[in-house]
Amino acid sequence: MRAAIWDGPGAMRVGEVEDASCPADGVLLRVTACGICGTDVRTFFNGDRRISPPWVLGHEISGELIEIGSAAAGEIALAGITVGDHVHCISTLWCGRCRLCRSANEHLCVKGGLMGFDYQGAYTELVAIPEIALKNLFLIPDGLSDEEATFADPLSDAICGHKDIGVGLDDNVAVIGAGPVGTAHAAISRLEGAGHVLLLEAAADRLELAREILGDERMSYVDVSNTDGTAAVRGATEQIGADVVIVACSSGEAQEQAMEMAAPRGRVLFFGGLPKGTTHIRFPSNILHYGEVQVHGSYASRHRDQVHALDMLAADIGGLRRVISDVVDLDGAPDAFARIRAGEVLKIVVRP
């Protein structure tokens, strides 16, 4: 079968790989759409400790169920899914039995994994869904396209990220990074009642794309390529700082600046992971101490967040279906990563 094959940092080609087969305890999907995530972009250019080339990436998966393994038939039937249905597979895999899963923190499962990294990804024609991922399959709601449904995966992650930061009525929120996930964080913050959301971005084209989705109500857009982001946030908040600062990009510098942007008793969320080799920052601990600033991290999503994300997209709450800027075929996949990194588009979906 044809696939977009990652050959190491910055290299990808379209070629043939061995046909995916249906696991006895899993299912087989004909891939109809697979989004390109910020994690995929970071991996494309920097690699990842979990994979070695040649490898097939892609974990924001929509597809048609074409085969059910004999040992999976009961679970699939209970889920109300059958051959021919179009489903979305959330990529974060969880066992359901470890202490973290039992405490409703299944996104941090110690025995889980990630589609596209621990299992072959979906920039290809067929993808095998293992037993551990069967509980991650969701029917795509009527009226939601398979391409749009791929955004449920990162949107659910953003929803999960808000569980601890407590965006409240009239809060000032600063979001660093105007990519798809940063745009989602801005939309969610506004839906939660934020009085003012500042979206900061160094790529002017990407910032304008986000503005086309979010509009101007309770929003400000800051091009930090020619403006000091910390000064802009403090200038918009009577020099107090933002009640919530969300770092939605892969930048250690942004994580450091986020602390400077926070108000006393503010909450800072580190949402974007850093590339391998650059995973430490200079932490301004006096701000945490004297300003009582809280720092949170968030990774992946829980089952409840995934249901919420699909419901949001089905109703088009926040207009977030429009984060998908372009849909390309497999032949267009290798060039898509550079386009995303350059800020020319928000979100590209691959349709094999």
Side-chain angles (χ1 to χ4, degrees):
M1 62 182 183
R2 297 181 78 237
I5 305 164
W6 180 73
D7 281 327
M12 180 175 281
R13 61 187 163 85
V14 177
E16 293 289 327
V17 297
E18 184 178 350
D19 284 356
S21 59
C22 183
D25 58 356
V27 301
L28 186 66
L29 302 184
R30 178 181 65 80
V31 180
T32 54
C34 187
I36 297 179
C37 172
T39 301
D40 294 317
V41 176
R42 190 168 68 245
T43 300
F44 177 88
F45 287 105
N46 298 286
D48 187 279
R49 59 178 175 78
R50 293 167 289 189
I51 63 171
S52 299
W55 188 257
V56 178
L57 291 165
H59 61 272
E60 297 177 356
I61 305 167
S62 292
E64 178 189 358
L65 180 59
I66 61 173
E67 189 176 349
I68 301 171
S70 58
E75 185 168 352
I76 291 298
L78 286 173
I81 302 171
T82 189
V83 169
D85 285 339
H86 284 229
V87 297
H88 174 57
C89 180
I90 293 288
S91 61
T92 307
L93 312 179
W94 47 284
C95 73
R97 295 180 290 276
C98 71
R99 181 163 60 88
L100 284 162
C101 284
R102 296 197 309 271
S103 64
N105 290 300
E106 65 269 23
H107 60 306
L108 301 176
C109 174
V110 297
K111 299 179 181 179
L114 185 65
M115 292 298 296
F117 290 88
D118 298 291
Y119 300 87
Q120 179 200 280
Y123 299 143
T124 185
E125 295 172 321
L126 301 172
V127 66
I129 305 298
E131 185 274 337
I132 193 174
L134 295 183
K135 53 187 171 296
N136 291 39
L137 291 176
F138 295 85
L139 278 171
I140 295 175
D142 291 341
L144 187 66
S145 74
D146 288 16
E147 294 84 0
E148 292 164 342
T150 65
F151 194 58
D153 198 314
L155 177 57
S156 68
D157 296 345
I159 291 168
C160 185
H162 283 243
K163 65 186 178 297
D164 298 317
I165 56 176
V167 176
L169 292 177
D170 294 327
D171 273 352
N172 290 304
V173 177
V175 179
I176 308 175
V181 171
T183 301
H185 276 297
I188 294 166
S189 298
R190 194 166 58 178
L191 288 166
E192 290 173 332
H196 187 200
V197 180
L198 293 99
L199 188 56
L200 287 69
E201 172 60 54
D205 290 345
R206 183 181 289 135
L207 195 63
E208 185 56 35
L209 288 169
R211 187 173 195 164
E212 290 173 6
I213 295 168
L214 296 166
D216 293 320
E217 182 183 353
R218 291 181 285 144
M219 291 292 308
S220 294
Y221 300 88
V222 182
D223 182 348
V224 294
S225 67
N226 54 32
T227 300
D228 180 270
T230 302
V233 171
R234 293 201 166 272
T237 58
E238 300 178 332
Q239 301 302 317
I240 295 171
D243 301 293
V244 175
V245 184
I246 301 170
V247 184
C249 60
S250 181
S251 168
E253 182 181 2
Q255 291 180 351
E256 294 170 10
Q257 289 176 342
M259 300 291 290
E260 305 282 351
M261 295 178 186
R265 299 287 298 166
R267 287 85 67 199
V268 175
L269 173 64
F270 288 177
F271 190 83
L274 301 180
K276 66 178 184 178
T278 60
T279 54
H280 290 69
I281 65 171
R282 296 170 300 174
F283 191 83
S285 59
N286 269 357
I287 292 177
L288 181 144
H289 173 63
Y290 290 108
E292 299 187 6
V293 171
Q294 304 169 32
V295 182
H296 300 272
S298 186
Y299 169 73
S301 61
R302 304 160 298 179
H303 186 271
R304 72 193 75 176
D305 307 313
Q306 296 154 14
V307 173
H308 188 177
L310 275 171
D311 286 347
M312 278 187 70
L313 289 169
D316 201 20
I317 295 171
L320 290 173
R321 293 182 186 182
R322 292 190 292 150
V323 300
I324 298 172
S325 307
D326 199 1
V327 178
V328 300
D329 60 16
L330 279 177
D331 292 315
D335 293 332
F337 295 86
R339 294 175 62 200
I340 294 171
R341 192 186 209 187
E344 298 173 7
V345 292
L346 277 184
K347 186 79 171 176
I348 295 179
V349 172
V350 178
R351 184 168 54 203

